[in-house]
Amino acid sequence: MATGIIQLLPDHVANQIAAGEVVQRPSSVVKELLENAIDASAYQITLNLKEAGKTLIQVVDNGKGMIAEDARLSFARHATSKIKNAEDLFSINTKGFRGEALASIAAVAHVDLKTKTPHQELGFQITVEGSKVINEDECVIQSGTTFSVKNLFYNIPARRNFLKSDTIEYRHIIDEFQRVALAHPQIGFSMYHNGSEVYQLPISNLRQRIVNIFGGKTNEKLVPIQESTENVTITGFIGKPEFAKKARGEQFFFVNNRFIKSGYLHHAVMSAFEGLLKEGTQPVYYIYLEVPAGSIDINIHPTKTEIKFDDEQALYSILRASVKHSLGQFSIAPVLDFERDSNLDTPYHFKNKEVTMPTVEVDLSYNPFEEKTTTKKEYSYHKSNQNASWESLYLGLKESFTAEPLTYETPSKVNALFEPKDVEQSVYKTYQLHRKYIVTPAKGGLLIVDQQRAHQRILYEQFLSNITLSKASSQQLLFPLELYFSKNEINLIKEIKDSLVHTGFIFESITSDKITISGLPISVSESEASIVIDQLLSDLEDGLHIDAYSVNDRIAKSMAKSLAVKTGSYLSEVEQETLINTLFSCKDATVSPFFKPTFVNISVEELDKKFSL
């Protein structure tokens, strides 16, 4: 008799496979545990972390709690209190409902669950390691649930090695925490990392919750949005166009209090802001949509961050119109005004004055062909015969123009692209093309330099050298400059403060939501300081690494990108000459800090081929 090759997987193996979808990184565990606490009707939730969740993730809530039997069943696969039949899947109002979260987490970590209902005197404690129950016992605990996850992926070394640095994993946890906290301002949240308080969010309204998370200055940036139709109710806030950011950080959509990602709805908001945003910037928005539960499908993505709507086109139109209406209502966008403008009225002293016809005066003695004498030296050029040289057209010009001799520094190292005589005279031979490229003769051809990329390379090497050698110069400000940031941005600034000081920044103080700067790098003006730091934070948030060189490198790149001369800027001949000479004294003049070519070299042979066609 033949033996079959298909067999059922053991439960612990099936749980580990399910964990691959549910538990991708520590932030996935944070999301699941916070949502369970919300579903348990908790109104105070605390999140404790150690080493960005790799060592400990603990969620403490004051919700309903569980009896011993429910606590045991919660670790079984497909066990849930949220649904009872298939029809419930189409009218889901809770967060977690698949019944795999706790079983998946317990399969890849050491889990300790303590819980008690308000009617019990003693609570119940259960410890699970790798899907195996290690201990069960009664315990003393306040009403609610405490869920502790330790040593995530301890039994899957490959998955643990796949995790990024603590900074990156911590950033993902912050994102998940903010999304849950923004969706539920009626619940108080607190968060601690390695014993230090990160967030303390009291029960509040939506506007206060946004301000508590993103800083006190956020309040003045917000414009309320409100619209109600048969299909959808839209509430929330949008940011004023002048506070738009280069990164897409503070953009939130919530559908029935669940955070979602939707490029389609984002496009609706962007189209409403059309003509109001600077190029390359993104609006800030916190938009909440309430729709009938049966009109959406939230099962199309494992993390439930994507939703399928029944009528997306109608939703797009309603959202776009709501944002435009809000912008117009608060005088942010231009609107048509059919009321009479009093400034267009006839002035009082002209009221009874007679109208006079305008007249035209003509100078009858004017003769356009009349020769006039002038004290200026004039030059007339005549062609003496058919074989006259074109050089004769320029005779006399040399005597008419006199200029002071220009002095400039010759760099110690100049690329072999230049002939020595070209270097000495190149100030007379540079030309700016379309305010984007600098054209100059080179050895055996023509050199075309991208002015923005070239300046980025120059600034990058200067800033990196200053950070490494701690030799940057600063300019003192007459009045200290105060800049406001969110708590998470303040923490990031604290981490890179030393590197910023080495570039020339002088910090007078750093508080929970504000930094005070008394000195700036010489190359940074006071008006550019906030732009430079905003760009720097945007670049660092998604790619900060542990080692100091990577941090310093990113700071130098970000500042070079912010401060480099832009395409469209006019450069004088001396500035063009200085840019080229400085570029070719860099360690690597061929590429920008972002590995794009800074110049192209066109040889005489290539030019000859163009003319031989």
Side-chain angles (χ1 to χ4, degrees):
M1 183 176 177
T3 304
I5 59 175
I6 296 177
Q7 56 186 350
L8 292 173
L9 289 173
D11 284 344
H12 71 280
V13 177
N15 286 339
Q16 286 193 2
I17 294 173
E21 288 187 358
V22 179
V23 187
Q24 299 173 355
R25 57 197 335 151
S27 61
S28 306
V29 177
V30 171
K31 176 179 181 292
E32 297 288 351
L33 297 185
L34 289 178
E35 289 181 347
N36 281 348
I38 293 169
D39 286 339
S41 303
Y43 58 88
Q44 288 291 342
I45 301 174
T46 300
L47 172 63
N48 295 307
L49 301 169
K50 286 186 179 179
E51 297 181 6
K54 296 176 183 178
T55 303
L56 172 68
I57 300 171
Q58 184 184 67
V59 173
V60 181
D61 70 67
N62 62 350
K64 298 176 181 177
M66 292 181 285
I67 62 175
E69 182 181 357
D70 288 341
R72 294 189 191 97
L73 283 175
S74 66
F75 290 99
R77 292 193 69 203
H78 307 304
T80 178
S81 61
K82 317 296 171 52
I83 57 176
K84 300 188 181 301
N85 51 57
E87 286 73 20
D88 291 343
L89 288 171
F90 301 99
S91 58
I92 294 171
N93 294 308
T94 55
K95 301 293 184 181
F97 55 85
R98 292 175 302 178
E100 295 181 4
L102 298 188
S104 299
I105 294 170
V108 292
H110 297 161
V111 176
D112 185 52
L113 170 64
K114 296 179 181 179
T115 184
K116 185 177 86 72
T117 65
H119 307 293
Q120 292 178 306
E121 293 184 2
L122 291 176
F124 178 75
Q125 177 179 358
I126 181 171
T127 303
V128 183
E129 296 181 3
S131 298
K132 295 181 180 179
V133 177
I134 304 300
N135 181 46
E136 292 183 8
D137 200 1
E138 292 181 337
C139 67
V140 177
I141 185 178
Q142 292 183 347
S143 298
T145 302
T146 298
F147 205 108
S148 303
V149 178
K150 304 174 184 177
N151 304 321
L152 189 63
F153 297 132
Y154 79 99
N155 54 353
I156 312 179
R159 288 292 301 275
R160 189 170 180 87
N161 294 335
F162 179 74
L163 296 178
K164 304 296 183 182
S165 67
D166 284 3
T167 306
I168 294 178
E169 297 298 341
Y170 177 67
R171 176 67 222 176
H172 285 289
I173 292 175
I174 288 287
D175 288 342
E176 293 293 351
F177 181 84
Q178 288 178 351
R179 292 165 184 173
V180 174
L182 285 170
H184 301 278
Q186 75 281 3
I187 299 176
F189 290 91
S190 56
M191 175 177 170
Y192 298 86
H193 184 224
N194 293 335
S196 300
E197 180 184 296
V198 181
Y199 287 107
Q200 193 64 248
L201 307 176
I203 297 173
S204 61
N205 58 35
L206 178 56
R207 191 180 195 114
Q208 291 172 334
R209 176 57 54 89
I210 294 172
V211 171
N212 288 335
I213 292 178
F214 295 103
K217 278 289 180 179
T218 307
N219 190 40
E220 66 186 49
K221 307 175 184 179
L222 301 179
V223 176
I225 178 174
Q226 178 79 42
E227 192 66 48
S228 182
T229 68
E230 294 180 358
N231 301 325
V232 62
T233 299
I234 301 175
T235 57
F237 297 90
I238 53 177
K240 297 177 182 178
E242 60 265 33
F243 296 107
K245 297 189 173 185
K246 291 190 175 182
R248 294 180 58 175
E250 295 178 33
Q251 296 180 343
F252 297 90
F253 282 115
F254 298 92
V255 175
N256 297 351
N257 289 332
R258 184 189 300 277
F259 172 80
I260 68 159
K261 297 177 182 178
S262 174
Y264 190 66
L265 296 182
H266 173 73
H267 189 274
V269 176
M270 290 297 291
S271 63
F273 274 91
E274 187 175 2
L276 300 175
L277 299 173
K278 294 180 181 178
E279 185 177 356
T281 60
Q282 295 281 335
V284 173
Y285 56 78
Y286 314 85
I287 297 177
Y288 296 73
L289 297 91
E290 287 290 334
V291 298
S295 67
I296 57 174
D297 183 3
I298 60 178
N299 294 302
I300 63 173
H301 193 273
T303 60
K304 296 172 283 186
T305 55
E306 295 181 13
I307 288 180
K308 177 67 176 175
F309 297 94
D310 280 354
D311 192 349
E312 286 189 332
Q313 189 172 358
L315 191 59
Y316 180 100
S317 302
I318 295 171
L319 179 59
R320 181 177 180 273
S322 301
V323 175
K324 287 185 75 71
H325 174 70
S326 185
L327 290 171
Q329 184 179 9
F330 290 89
S331 302
I332 293 170
V335 294
L336 291 175
D337 185 5
F338 295 100
E339 296 182 1
R340 179 178 58 82
D341 188 350
S342 60
N343 293 326
L344 300 179
D345 291 346
T346 304
Y348 179 77
H349 58 280
F350 281 104
K351 185 176 181 182
N352 299 319
K353 192 173 181 179
E354 293 184 2
V355 178
T356 56
M357 294 296 294
T359 58
V360 178
E361 296 182 0
V362 180
D363 184 3
L364 299 176
S365 64
Y366 174 71
N367 182 1
F369 301 101
E370 181 181 357
E371 293 184 3
K372 294 182 180 180
T373 58
T374 178
T375 57
K376 293 183 179 180
K377 189 174 181 180
E378 295 183 355
Y379 298 93
S380 59
Y381 306 103
H382 303 282
K383 204 170 183 180
S384 58
N385 54 59
Q386 293 288 33
N387 296 322
S389 172
W390 280 101
E391 283 82 354
S392 63
L393 292 176
Y394 299 92
L395 291 175
L397 287 177
K398 188 174 183 181
E399 294 81 9
S400 63
F401 297 102
T402 59
E404 294 293 329
L406 294 171
T407 59
Y408 55 92
E409 294 182 1
T410 303
S412 57
K413 296 187 298 180
V414 179
N415 196 285
L417 287 168
F418 293 105
E419 294 280 10
K421 61 180 180 180
D422 291 335
V423 175
E424 294 174 5
Q425 302 296 330
S426 60
V427 69
Y428 302 106
K429 296 181 180 179
T430 58
Y431 177 75
Q432 191 179 26
L433 182 64
H434 296 302
R435 296 192 176 188
K436 183 176 183 180
Y437 301 108
I438 300 174
V439 182
T440 184
K443 184 177 180 180
L446 194 67
L447 199 70
I448 303 177
V449 179
D450 185 310
Q451 65 184 37
Q452 183 173 357
R453 293 180 185 177
H455 200 206
Q456 285 178 352
R457 164 54 61 178
I458 294 167
L459 291 176
Y460 166 71
E461 293 198 3
Q462 288 176 354
F463 286 132
L464 193 59
S465 175
N466 291 342
I467 294 173
T468 306
L469 302 177
S470 305
K471 63 174 185 178
S473 301
S474 301
Q475 52 179 331
Q476 290 289 331
L477 299 177
L478 185 60
F479 300 103
L481 181 63
E482 295 182 347
L483 300 175
Y484 291 83
F485 298 95
S486 67
K487 288 185 178 180
N488 188 59
E489 289 172 331
I490 289 291
N491 291 333
L492 195 54
I493 290 173
K494 288 179 180 178
E495 290 182 23
I496 60 174
K497 177 185 174 183
D498 292 342
S499 296
L500 289 176
V501 169
H502 294 157
T503 64
F505 284 91
I506 300 177
F507 294 90
E508 194 171 283
S509 65
I510 300 179
T511 62
S512 60
D513 66 342
K514 179 181 69 174
I515 65 173
T516 304
I517 299 174
S518 58
L520 295 171
I522 292 178
S523 56
V524 181
S525 67
E526 189 171 347
S527 61
E528 293 175 324
S530 61
I531 299 174
V532 170
I533 295 179
D534 282 341
Q535 179 66 55
L536 176 61
L537 293 174
S538 173
D539 291 341
L540 288 174
E541 279 182 344
D542 295 328
L544 190 63
H545 297 284
I546 290 179
D547 68 285
Y549 177 78
S550 296
V551 176
N552 295 341
D553 182 69
R554 283 190 170 272
I555 292 173
K557 284 181 178 178
S558 181
M559 292 183 64
K561 181 168 63 174
S562 298
L563 297 173
V565 61
K566 301 297 187 289
T567 295
S569 301
Y570 170 76
L571 299 180
S572 66
E573 290 184 347
V574 176
E575 289 172 333
Q576 296 170 32
E577 164 71 5
T578 304
L579 185 69
I580 291 177
N581 285 343
T582 311
L583 172 66
F584 287 101
S585 64
C586 290
K587 293 181 180 179
D588 187 359
T590 58
V591 293
S592 73
F594 308 99
F595 307 104
K596 295 180 180 179
T598 56
F599 65 87
V600 293
N601 187 25
I602 302 176
S603 65
V604 175
E605 289 77 11
E606 291 179 85
L607 291 174
D608 289 340
K609 290 179 181 179
K610 296 288 185 183
F611 286 100
S612 63
L613 296 177

